[in-house]
Amino acid sequence: MDSNLRISTYEMLFPLPHTPGFSLAVNGLYGAYDIITGQEEDCLRAAQASPASLCALPQDTLERLMRRGHLLTSEPAQEEKNVRILSRLYRLLAYQSVVDLVILPTYNCNFRCAYCFERKRLEKGDEWLSRSMQPEMVSAIFAQMRAYQAQGRKLHSVILYGGEPFLRVNRQLVAQIAQEAADLKMLLVAITNGYELDAFLDLLKQIPFSSLQITVDGPEAVHDSRRYLAGGQGSYRRIMENIEKALAIGVSIHLRVNVNRSNLDSALSLKEILESKHFTQNPHFHYYFKATTGCFEDDPSNVLTDHELFEALYRKGICSETDTRASRVYQDIAMRVKRALTKKAYPSLSPSHCGASSNMLVVDPEGTLYTCWDIVSQEKYAVGFTDVETGRFCFNFNLPKWRTRTVDRMTPCTQCPLLMVCGGGCAIESEAAFGDRFHGTCGSVREAFAFSAPRVCEKAFAQNGERELSLSLFPLFDGLSATDRETLLTTTKQTEAFALLKRRLTETQRYFG
């Protein structure tokens, strides 16, 4: 055994919960998921303090774990360099290739929800709120989309957001946006409160949306105390009626339930209500629960974490070991692991937390550009504007402050095994908690991964008996020369990085998804 052999900085070990004698080894940097024995897990844990413990590993296990990146002979600094390389590849290849567009037809809303993330917009007055995006602004936005397409970028989705995008008075405007998106074959999604959805049903028949997200926060009395009209009236009954109408014509509804401590118990009873209305039997209907973002809560004692929410869902039987769909965070982790286990592509690893740090652009009614929808209307966060005359987006120096927020530049993320799963957490939450957007914030990812990954992998192991459950990125990095590494750490050319990566892929004879 090489005397320099050590366990990777980014290694995670989990016992399989229902398979005695076996454990899961996960490398958070290279995306390798491997089944090992309990004794082998003990050796690896001991090796974190004393590398000599690796001598007790069987030779075939030792070779497999080295080939997959769990065990290394290189210095820790080399791994940190690989973090930087992977982050730069992501910025060069992913950030510059895909566009997710969020459009706010108006900042106005017929609701005045108690916990609204956009409360600051109300300070600007009714005249400002009531403005809607003009047709020429829509034309300019999609002129830029066509220019992006001509440059070879992939136009992925258009998400209608607000304010409230589905206000009856803006129906023609929504129809124009939807038609433009459909012409470019972009996926259409809307985030709506659902109150005036009935005015848009004929449009949804004509131009299908991939899904609508609608929020209901519990039984009628609870929902109406949290999500009420600007005049104070309740909204529950009409929303439920509109959901029923939309499902009847085949519209896909994703029902979101925002939860904090004040509505935790009552929100969980919504499951029975949805079942009684036969919504849950409809293949076009899905519901999930999400803890409201802590930094937007006025009362700190009301804050609930996604882990605490999951525990409540688990106790109630709404989530189980094999079905975590009702928890947004836990299900997202489970799906990422499941995709990795297909071996159809390398595992999905991301050095950024969300679209705000990668490929999302948010356009408000005046054409002001943002990257995050939680801070729209706050001009200090704006990253540019839309030039109506030229049909182009014009960016300022705020944009790179968002697009360079990757884990290789964040503390304390660079040493964390979950860095490519978590992506550093929410930038706005980091800024609220630490006064620094480039400080990581963990959320509940650690608990979600520790619960979901072993159970997903255990099921796969029981089905196929394979020990190597996923592909691993390690062979790509292992064969890089010093010149290759320097190129990937310094180049600003997408074509140069892609050509080098393609050569390595050919050499390893693997497919990169």
Side-chain angles (χ1 to χ4, degrees):
M1 188 185 82
D2 192 315
S3 60
N4 294 320
L5 192 64
R6 64 180 181 86
I7 190 168
S8 168
T9 303
Y10 304 99
E11 196 68 12
M12 294 174 279
L13 302 169
F14 306 98
L16 296 186
H18 306 296
T19 310
F22 288 95
S23 298
L24 173 68
V26 183
N27 189 279
L29 176 58
Y30 305 118
Y33 292 80
D34 283 80
I35 299 297
I36 57 175
T37 68
Q39 291 178 329
E40 290 165 352
E41 180 193 357
D42 292 340
C43 289
L44 292 175
R45 289 192 183 279
Q48 291 174 331
S50 175
S53 301
L54 296 173
C55 292
L57 287 173
Q59 186 62 31
D60 60 340
T61 300
L62 193 67
E63 291 174 357
R64 172 164 61 102
L65 297 182
M66 291 178 65
R67 175 166 41 83
R68 311 259 300 150
H70 300 281
L71 300 177
L72 307 167
T73 55
S74 60
E75 294 295 322
Q78 185 68 60
E79 273 197 290
E80 290 186 36
K81 185 173 288 188
N82 287 346
V83 171
R84 296 201 301 275
I85 289 173
L86 188 57
S87 296
R88 293 200 86 251
L89 282 172
Y90 192 84
R91 287 196 293 269
L92 285 169
L93 302 180
Y95 290 10
Q96 296 183 15
S97 300
V98 181
V99 179
D100 281 312
L101 182 67
V102 180
I103 298 178
L104 283 73
T106 180
Y107 278 118
N108 204 7
C109 185
N110 46 358
F111 281 24
R112 291 296 182 267
C113 301
Y115 54 80
C116 181
F117 295 172
E118 296 180 26
R119 280 169 291 183
K120 285 187 176 293
R121 82 191 197 290
L122 301 178
E123 300 170 0
K124 301 195 175 185
D126 292 340
E127 191 278 329
W128 181 86
L129 278 175
S130 63
R131 297 177 192 168
S132 296
M133 185 174 285
Q134 296 302 302
E136 55 268 26
M137 181 63 71
V138 176
S139 298
I141 292 168
F142 283 96
Q144 177 65 83
M145 292 301 105
R146 287 188 288 275
Y148 282 155
Q149 190 176 63
Q151 295 166 12
R153 299 182 70 173
K154 179 182 177 182
L155 307 182
H156 181 241
S157 64
V158 172
I159 303 173
L160 293 180
Y161 190 66
E164 168 51 39
F166 281 1
L167 291 177
R168 194 180 304 269
V169 296
N170 288 328
R171 189 188 178 287
Q172 191 57 45
L173 173 61
V174 170
Q176 181 189 1
I177 295 170
Q179 189 60 62
E180 289 270 19
D183 289 345
L184 288 172
K185 295 181 171 52
M186 298 179 75
L187 202 68
L188 266 167
V189 176
I191 298 174
T192 170
N193 59 40
Y195 192 79
E196 296 187 4
L197 181 58
D198 52 308
F200 292 81
L201 294 178
D202 58 335
L203 175 62
L204 296 174
K205 287 181 182 178
Q206 177 187 348
I207 306 176
F209 278 60
S210 173
S211 65
L212 306 182
Q213 178 183 293
I214 298 175
T215 300
V216 175
D217 277 0
E220 183 172 359
V222 174
H223 172 92
D224 285 347
S225 70
R226 293 164 58 91
R227 298 183 64 80
Y228 41 82
L229 294 172
Q233 305 95 325
S235 62
Y236 176 89
R237 293 190 182 184
R238 184 158 173 184
I239 293 172
M240 287 298 198
E241 290 171 0
N242 282 339
I243 290 174
E244 189 169 359
K245 292 175 183 177
L247 290 173
I249 63 170
V251 175
S252 180
I253 301 293
H254 292 181
L255 188 78
R256 176 181 171 116
V257 187
N258 287 323
V259 185
N260 54 21
R261 294 197 183 279
S262 69
N263 75 322
L264 174 59
D265 292 334
S266 58
L268 302 188
S269 68
L270 192 61
K271 176 179 182 286
E272 286 76 22
I273 296 173
L274 299 175
E275 289 173 348
S276 70
K277 292 181 176 293
H278 305 293
F279 288 170
T280 54
Q281 287 78 50
N282 191 308
H284 298 293
F285 182 83
H286 167 66
Y287 72 99
Y288 68 93
F289 297 79
K290 180 69 178 71
T292 55
T293 306
C295 63
F296 291 102
E297 289 282 0
D298 291 328
D299 181 3
S301 66
N302 207 26
V303 173
L304 185 75
T305 69
D306 285 295
H307 174 58
E308 292 169 325
L309 173 57
F310 176 77
E311 288 185 321
L313 293 170
Y314 193 83
R315 289 193 300 269
K316 186 77 172 177
I318 298 173
C319 282
S320 68
E321 294 202 8
T322 57
D323 185 358
T324 59
R325 284 176 295 175
S327 168
R328 181 64 176 267
V329 173
Y330 278 67
Q331 180 64 5
D332 283 352
I333 295 292
M335 292 306 298
R336 288 181 66 171
V337 177
K338 287 177 183 177
R339 284 195 297 270
L341 303 196
T342 65
K343 297 186 180 180
K344 292 181 179 178
Y346 283 104
S348 175
L349 303 171
S350 172
S352 70
H353 177 66
C354 67
S357 300
S358 55
N359 62 327
M360 188 165 75
L361 284 171
V362 185
V363 193
D364 82 356
E366 303 297 323
T368 306
L369 302 173
Y370 300 87
T371 66
C372 173
W373 52 22
D374 284 346
I375 40 79
V376 290
S377 83
Q378 300 180 57
E379 286 84 357
K380 67 178 181 178
Y381 293 112
V383 299
F385 67 94
T386 307
D387 189 321
V388 173
E389 291 186 7
T390 63
R392 292 290 183 271
F393 291 159
C394 303
F395 296 105
N396 61 35
F397 289 114
N398 270 341
L399 182 64
K401 294 178 183 178
W402 284 94
R403 298 308 200 218
T404 57
R405 187 186 184 268
T406 48
V407 288
D408 58 312
R409 299 179 175 183
M410 297 170 64
T411 54
C413 301
T414 54
Q415 299 293 312
C416 176
L418 281 167
L419 78 174
M420 293 294 172
V421 177
C422 171
C426 172
I428 298 303
E429 289 190 39
S430 295
E431 191 167 82
F434 303 103
D436 181 4
R437 208 181 304 167
F438 278 77
H439 193 291
T441 182
C442 297
S444 296
V445 171
R446 190 178 303 277
E447 295 89 346
F449 193 86
F451 181 91
S452 297
R455 287 163 173 81
V456 171
C457 292
E458 182 176 49
K459 183 178 179 181
F461 178 52
Q463 289 173 342
N464 57 39
E466 293 184 13
R467 298 290 186 95
E468 294 184 17
L469 295 177
S470 70
L471 301 181
S472 171
L473 282 170
F474 179 70
L476 293 179
F477 289 96
D478 192 41
L480 290 174
S481 67
T483 301
D484 289 340
R485 290 178 180 278
E486 186 63 25
T487 297
L488 292 175
L489 285 169
T490 58
T491 185
T492 58
K493 299 176 181 178
Q494 187 183 59
T495 52
E496 186 174 19
F498 186 77
L500 197 160
L501 182 60
K502 186 176 180 181
R503 174 173 59 78
R504 284 296 302 134
L505 292 170
T506 301
E507 290 168 357
T508 56
Q509 296 183 331
R510 295 288 197 179
Y511 169 70
F512 189 75

